[in-house]
Each structure stands twice: as structure tokens, then as C-alpha cells.
Amino acid sequence: MEDALEPEKKRTRVLGTTTKFATSYPRAPALSAVPQTQGQTAAPKVPKRTGPRCSTAVATVLKNQKPGPAVPAKKPGTAAPPKPGGKKPSKRPAWDLKGQLCDLNAELKCCRERTQTLDQENQQLRDQLREAQQQATALGAERGTLQGELASVRAQAEQGQRELGNLSARVLELEEWLGTQEGLVRELQKEQLELQEERRGLVIRLEEQERRLQASEAALSDSQAEVASLRRETAAQAASLAERGERLHGLEMERRRLHNQLQELKGNIRVFCRVRPALPGEPTPPPGFLLFPSGPGGPSDPPTHLSLFRSDERRGTLSGMPAAPTRHDFSFDRVFPPGSGQDEVFEEIAMLVQSALDGYPVCIFAYGQTGSGKTFTMEGGPGGDPQGEGLIPRALRHLFSVAGDLSSQGWTYSFVASYVEIYNETVRDLLATGTRKGHGGECEIRRAGPGSEELVVTNARYVPVSCEKEVEALLQLARQNRAVARTAQNERSSRSHSVFQLQISGEHTGRGLQCGAPLNLVDLAGSERLDPGLALGPGERERLRETQAINSSLSTLGLVIMALSNKESHVPYRNSKLTYLLQNSLGGSAKMLMFVNISPLEENVSESLNSLRFASKVNQCVIGTAQANRK
């Protein structure tokens, strides 16, 4: 085995890297043989290459080597592979020395055969190495020649490259200059085309302008004639318009005069009576208790008379027979039965409310016992029902509408609202909010200024209003702040006089006219009699004081109206805060209307008679002709 491996070791020392390649592939086929003549070796022609000779030769040899099937090398001492179809020999036991010797001999034989094969291959590789070395020597000589030629060519190439660079730079410079010139030429050509196009457009526009100028000159002459005609027509229309404006203004003044005359014919103090319907839970009034006789024109005329029947139980007891009911007849400017609606009531006073826009002070009262429907008449019922709106929201809606119509005639109006109550002869602001509510300072009635007849309430809010929503918000706030209490006649009775004042200011700037007047809508406090024989607790004493203050102010109101009717020199306005506040709306320059509200219940007949008698006295009063507040 050592003899067989000896050639392989020698080959390793001789060939170096090539021997390692052969050892890794022991069964590689031999390199292709180089053809030889007898006694002479023919060197193959190889292409000229540069680089180290040995590496080039080895690479050429390896490149020309044909691949062959690789046979894996057998390790020394291994047994021969089993023959096809035979059984794999089993491992011999340790005691079978003869068998093991036979196996070693067979293995030795295989190694010798393999050694011979490797020797042959080694010889072929040595031959190829000699050929490669010869080729490398030839290539080295050729490489030297080529290197010289290459240096010469490189020098020529560098010189040519420098010349080429100079030429290229010159060419680029010329191309850049040529591009600039070409761009300039293109721009000039484009500009020339644009100028030509613009010239053609200007020529066309000039022709068009000339045609239009000719047409305009013709139209101008026609327009001048038409303008002259229109000026004449305008002057005629302006004169006609001024004449119509004068006529319209005269008609408006005449309307106001006739409207005021009509109101005066109706009376500067008018009294309406309204009977409220029976409420749910109240007894039905007996038939014949209240009668509404027809007017002179029959049932079609609005009723103006009221008959109330009252039975006298004391007379029946003294005579021993029931006494016949006593009939009480009353006559007013208008009587509204229980079935009359809010719209019907307002329709009757709409013209009176409009007098405030014409500059006449207007004052409307709601008078009657507690629970007779005064607050409902003035403010309306709860719930926001449009059919149940009172006189205050309806009056302001009417004023806003008429003021809007008069704006087309040059009139402008402004409205400022205030709402106060007089409770126990103390003035309170019903529009107070926030920290001012109940702590806004004492309200007093004062003159607006030195020498002024206008009265104002100090520490009270005066709110400009221009629409219905603003008025509704003020009414809602006033309802929350007003003093009410439970009485024997009404679960929620108003214990104060509420005065809604609307200051109206109008101006006609074109004619320099101004007018201003207040509209007062007053809900008087309800009164009821207290039995003096009853024991009075703290609450009853408070109600008694309230009733006394209410009756005192109502009595003063009657005295003021009587004094005005009798043309007395002294009118006791200052005897009550109510009459003092309203004195400018109660005199001869004002128009007044009183609603006397009564209950339909028989149990309230005594209070109803007192209210009707007071209203009858007021209805008999006559105040002088009202004067408009105009400037």
C-alpha cells in the first residue's frame, strides 16, 4: 500500500496546485493529447494574450480538458464493493484470521490497480504541463511585443484624445452658439407672426370700430332726441308725482282727521262690558239671569245693553211671599256676551289703538272684580293659543303692521316698551331680570326733565321692540314677576295694577313732521269684599291691606275721571300712584276706553252690580276734544 501511494506523494510535490486538483478527482480523464510528429513536438498556436505566462498556460490546459465521469476514490483498507446481484459480505468474526487475510489481499490488489491508473494520469499531466510552459514562453515573448505596440498606440491615442477633446469642446461651443442663434431666429419668427396676427386683428377691430362708430353716431342722435323726450316726460312725471305726494299726504292727514272725528263721535271716554263664560267646575248660570237685548237695528246690530236680574231674599221673607227678581238695566258703547272671542273684542278697539300712531295718547283699562277675566282680556290665556291672545300682543301686532304700511309714505316709527305694577302704592318693574329682580332700587315716578310733561319711572327697564316675539318675551317675563295671591273669589288673583306702556315716536323726514304718543294698556287689580265679622289671621290681614289699597286707587281713578268731566280746576292725580303715572293719558288730549269685566255667576251678583254701576258713571263722563301731539 505504501508503494502504491508513493507516486501520488511525488506528484503532489511536483505539481503543487495542479496536483491537489488531481488528488481531489483521482479518476478525472486525461487532457486531450497534443498531436506529435516522430522525434518532434508540434506546439499548438494560441491566441495572443497578456498576463503571467504560467497562469495563462494552466488556464488554457484546463479549458481544453474534456470533462469525464468522476470516479470516487477508495479509501485504503476498505473492502471491495459487492458485485451486483451478490449478497453483501457480512463482517468476519475476530477468530476468522484467514478470511480477514484474504480480504486484505483483495484490497491490496485493488490499490495496486488504482496506483497504476494514477501513474498514467500523472504522466499525462506532466506532458500537458510541459506543453503549457512552452506556450507560456511563446506568449510571454509575444506579450512583450504587444506591450511595446500598446504603449505606442496609447501615446497616439492620448494625443488623439487631446485633439478630440479640443475639437469636441469647439464643436460644443459652436453647437451652443448655433442653438442660441436658432432660438433667437425662432423667437424673431414667432414675434413676427404674432405681430402680423396682431396687425390683422387690429385692422379687423379698426374696421369694426369704424362701423360701430358710425352706428353709435346714428344711435346717439336718436338717443339725444329720445333723452330730450324722456326728460320732458320725467319732468312731467316728477310734477305729477309731487302732486300725487301732496294729495296722498293731504289724504293721510284727512284720514287722520276723520279717524279722530269718528273716535270723538264715539266718545273720548268709552266703556265696553264683557261677560266671561262659566269656567269648568263652576255652576251653570240660571236662565234669565243675564240678558242681552238687541239694538235698534235688530239682532244684526252689536249688543249695547245688559240686563241683570237679582232676587231680594229679605223682601220675600218680610212679606211672606217670594219677591220678584229686580231687573237692573245698563247701557254701554258695546257689550260682549260670554261667547265673544278675543278677535271680536280687538276688532272693536283696533281703530282706537291706531290713533296712537297718529299722535293721540290712548289708555285702555280692564276693570272688574277679581276672577272676572281682566288679565285674560289684556294678556290672553296660557299655552300660546293664537285664538286666546289678549289685547296687548294683538295691539302691538296691529301697530307694527300699520307702521310698515306707512313707511311707504315716508313715515318711520320706533317703539319703546315698559311694564310696571303698582302694589300697595309701590311701583315695581315687571321686566327686572337677574340681580336687578327685586333689588333694582326703588322705582319712582319722575318728570323726564326740567319743564317736561313726560313722566318716566326711575330704575325701570325701557326696552325697544320691533317684532311680536320680543313683545311675547316681555309678557312672559312680566307674568313671572307679577304679584298674585289666593283670595276667596279667585285661586290666583292679581293683587296689583299692571301698566304696559308703549311710547310711540314717528317722523316724516321729507316734510319735517314728528309725532309721539303713549299707548297704555292697564290691567287693574281685582277687588273683593271681606267680611269684617271674620277673625283675621296674618294672611287675611295682608289681603285686607291689599284690598284697601286697591279700592283706594280705584276710587281715585273714578274721582279723576269725574273731575276731568266736570272741568274742575284741580284734578287729584297725585292721590294715587296709578293716576299720577297715567295723568298724561287721562286728560282732554287723550282717548280712554274702559272694559268692565263681570262674572256670569249668580253668587257674584253683588260685585257685578258694583262694577256695572261704576262703569255706568264713567260712561256718562264727557272729556274735551283730544289733541294730537305733533311738532
Side-chain angles (χ1 to χ4, degrees):
M1 181 181 298
E2 295 178 358
D3 296 337
L5 295 176
E6 185 69 18
E8 187 174 349
K9 293 181 181 180
K10 295 178 179 180
R11 183 174 54 187
T12 300
R13 287 194 303 266
V14 174
L15 294 180
T17 305
T18 306
T19 307
K20 291 181 181 180
F21 176 81
T23 307
S24 300
Y25 299 91
R27 298 298 303 274
L31 296 175
S32 57
V34 181
Q36 298 178 356
T37 55
Q38 293 180 357
Q40 185 179 1
T41 301
K45 294 182 179 180
V46 296
K48 296 180 179 181
R49 298 176 61 90
T50 60
R53 290 177 294 175
C54 295
S55 59
T56 304
V58 174
T60 303
V61 173
L62 294 177
K63 184 176 179 180
N64 294 332
Q65 183 180 0
K66 294 181 180 181
V71 179
K74 297 179 182 180
K75 294 182 179 180
T78 58
K83 296 181 179 180
K87 296 182 180 179
K88 183 178 180 181
S90 59
K91 186 177 181 180
R92 296 181 183 275
W95 52 266
D96 191 2
L97 300 176
K98 186 177 181 180
Q100 292 179 4
L101 181 61
C102 292
D103 293 340
L104 292 175
N105 291 330
E107 185 179 356
L108 179 61
K109 184 178 179 180
C110 291
C111 290
R112 288 176 178 174
E113 293 176 355
R114 183 166 170 262
T115 300
Q116 292 177 0
T117 304
L118 293 175
D119 291 339
Q120 295 175 359
E121 292 177 359
N122 189 16
Q123 185 62 37
Q124 293 177 358
L125 289 175
R126 289 177 178 175
D127 295 340
Q128 292 176 4
L129 178 60
R130 282 193 299 272
E131 294 175 0
Q133 289 176 350
Q134 293 175 0
Q135 292 177 2
T137 302
L139 290 174
E142 187 176 359
R143 174 176 174 272
T145 304
L146 292 176
Q147 284 179 348
E149 295 177 356
L150 179 60
S152 175
V153 170
R154 283 180 177 175
Q156 295 177 0
E158 289 177 358
Q159 183 178 0
Q161 189 69 25
R162 286 192 296 271
E163 294 177 357
L164 179 61
N166 296 332
L167 293 175
S168 298
R170 179 60 178 168
V171 168
L172 290 176
E173 183 180 353
L174 293 175
E175 288 179 351
E176 183 178 358
W177 179 82
L178 179 61
T180 303
Q181 297 299 321
E182 289 178 350
L184 182 60
V185 170
R186 285 194 296 269
E187 290 179 1
L188 292 175
Q189 292 176 350
K190 182 178 179 181
E191 185 176 358
Q192 182 183 7
L193 293 176
E194 290 177 354
L195 292 174
Q196 292 176 354
E197 186 67 23
E198 185 177 359
R199 178 179 175 278
R200 285 193 294 269
L202 291 174
V203 170
I204 295 173
R205 288 180 60 187
L206 179 60
E207 296 174 354
E208 180 67 21
Q209 293 295 335
E210 289 177 351
R211 289 193 297 269
R212 292 178 62 183
L213 179 61
Q214 295 175 359
S216 298
E217 289 176 350
L220 179 61
S221 60
D222 297 339
S223 298
Q224 288 175 347
E226 185 177 358
V227 166
S229 176
L230 290 176
R231 284 177 177 173
R232 290 190 296 269
E233 293 180 2
T234 301
Q237 290 179 357
S240 176
L241 184 61
E243 181 181 355
R244 291 182 181 181
E246 291 294 335
R247 288 185 58 191
L248 182 61
H249 178 69
L251 291 174
E252 174 62 21
M253 294 297 103
E254 182 67 13
R255 181 201 67 78
R256 295 192 178 192
R257 186 185 67 80
L258 294 176
H259 174 75
N260 182 56
Q261 185 177 357
L262 176 62
Q263 298 300 316
E264 289 177 354
L265 292 175
K266 291 182 178 180
N268 283 334
I269 296 182
R270 284 183 283 169
V271 178
F272 291 169
C273 178
R274 186 179 189 185
V275 183
R276 72 166 176 83
L279 301 177
E282 293 180 344
T284 304
F289 174 63
L290 289 173
L291 295 179
F292 304 93
S294 301
S300 60
D301 282 355
T304 58
H305 294 79
L306 171 68
S307 297
L308 184 146
F309 291 85
R310 179 183 184 184
S311 60
D312 193 344
E313 298 178 356
R314 293 178 298 175
R315 288 177 54 192
T317 303
L318 294 175
S319 63
M321 295 178 61
T326 303
R327 177 171 177 168
H328 301 273
D329 295 325
F330 299 94
S331 177
F332 301 104
D333 295 284
R334 178 69 190 272
V335 176
F336 296 96
S340 301
Q342 297 280 68
D343 53 348
E344 183 180 354
V345 175
F346 178 74
E347 184 179 357
E348 191 66 27
I349 69 166
M351 301 303 291
L352 178 62
V353 170
Q354 187 172 341
S355 296
L357 285 177
D358 299 338
Y360 296 95
V362 176
C363 186
I364 300 176
F365 295 97
Y367 173 81
Q369 74 172 102
T370 179
S372 59
K374 302 184 300 301
T375 303
F376 178 80
T377 300
M378 299 304 294
E379 297 184 4
D385 182 13
Q387 298 297 327
E389 284 185 335
L391 298 185
I392 296 177
R394 290 176 184 270
L396 267 72
R397 183 187 303 118
H398 180 70
L399 291 176
F400 292 152
S401 176
V402 175
D405 296 338
L406 291 176
S407 63
S408 61
Q409 301 180 18
W411 286 93
T412 57
Y413 286 91
S414 61
F415 305 90
V416 179
S418 65
Y419 210 164
V420 297
E421 70 171 352
I422 302 175
Y423 175 77
N424 285 347
E425 288 302 298
T426 302
V427 182
R428 297 178 178 178
D429 184 14
L430 293 179
L431 301 182
T433 58
T435 57
R436 295 184 66 254
K437 188 174 181 180
H439 303 281
E442 185 177 359
C443 295
E444 295 293 340
I445 304 172
R446 295 284 186 268
R447 298 284 180 183
S452 174
E453 295 295 329
E454 183 182 355
L455 296 176
V456 295
V457 179
T458 60
N459 297 321
R461 287 181 64 199
Y462 286 84
V463 183
V465 292
S466 59
C467 63
E468 302 172 26
K469 290 184 178 180
E470 296 176 351
V471 176
E472 180 60 32
L474 296 180
L475 293 179
Q476 182 66 27
L477 179 61
R479 293 190 193 102
Q480 298 174 2
N481 294 339
R482 191 173 180 188
V484 295
R486 182 181 182 276
T487 66
Q489 298 294 332
N490 190 5
E491 182 69 23
R492 184 177 174 83
S493 174
S494 300
R495 309 308 296 161
S496 64
H497 307 302
S498 68
V499 181
F500 181 87
Q501 289 187 318
L502 184 71
Q503 185 63 41
I504 304 173
S505 300
E507 183 179 7
H508 194 300
T509 56
R511 299 184 180 275
L513 298 178
Q514 294 181 351
C515 65
L519 171 64
N520 298 276
L521 301 171
V522 185
D523 179 14
L524 297 175
S527 64
E528 61 181 4
R529 295 184 179 181
L530 294 177
D531 189 353
L534 295 176
L536 300 180
E540 287 75 8
R541 293 193 189 96
E542 183 66 23
R543 300 289 85 78
L544 178 59
R545 285 193 295 270
E546 292 174 354
T547 303
Q548 291 173 347
I550 291 170
N551 292 337
S552 175
S553 61
L554 294 177
S555 177
T556 302
L557 177 61
L559 293 176
V560 168
I561 295 175
M562 292 298 178
L564 292 171
S565 176
N566 297 332
K567 305 293 189 297
E568 296 180 3
S569 59
H570 173 70
V571 181
Y573 290 120
R574 291 180 176 270
N575 289 359
S576 169
K577 292 289 183 67
L578 175 66
T579 54
Y580 183 42
L581 177 62
L582 299 176
Q583 62 176 316
N584 291 334
S585 300
L586 298 177
S589 63
K591 299 179 183 295
M592 285 188 293
L593 186 144
M594 175 183 286
F595 277 96
V596 54
N597 296 77
I598 64 173
S599 170
L601 303 181
E602 190 176 9
E603 63 184 21
N604 297 329
V605 63
S606 178
E607 294 290 343
S608 298
L609 282 173
N610 290 334
S611 299
L612 292 172
R613 287 167 181 160
F614 178 79
S616 295
K617 291 180 182 180
V618 174
N619 197 33
Q620 294 172 4
C621 296
V622 177
I623 301 179
T625 303
Q627 300 295 328
N629 295 328
R630 295 202 186 105
K631 299 179 182 180

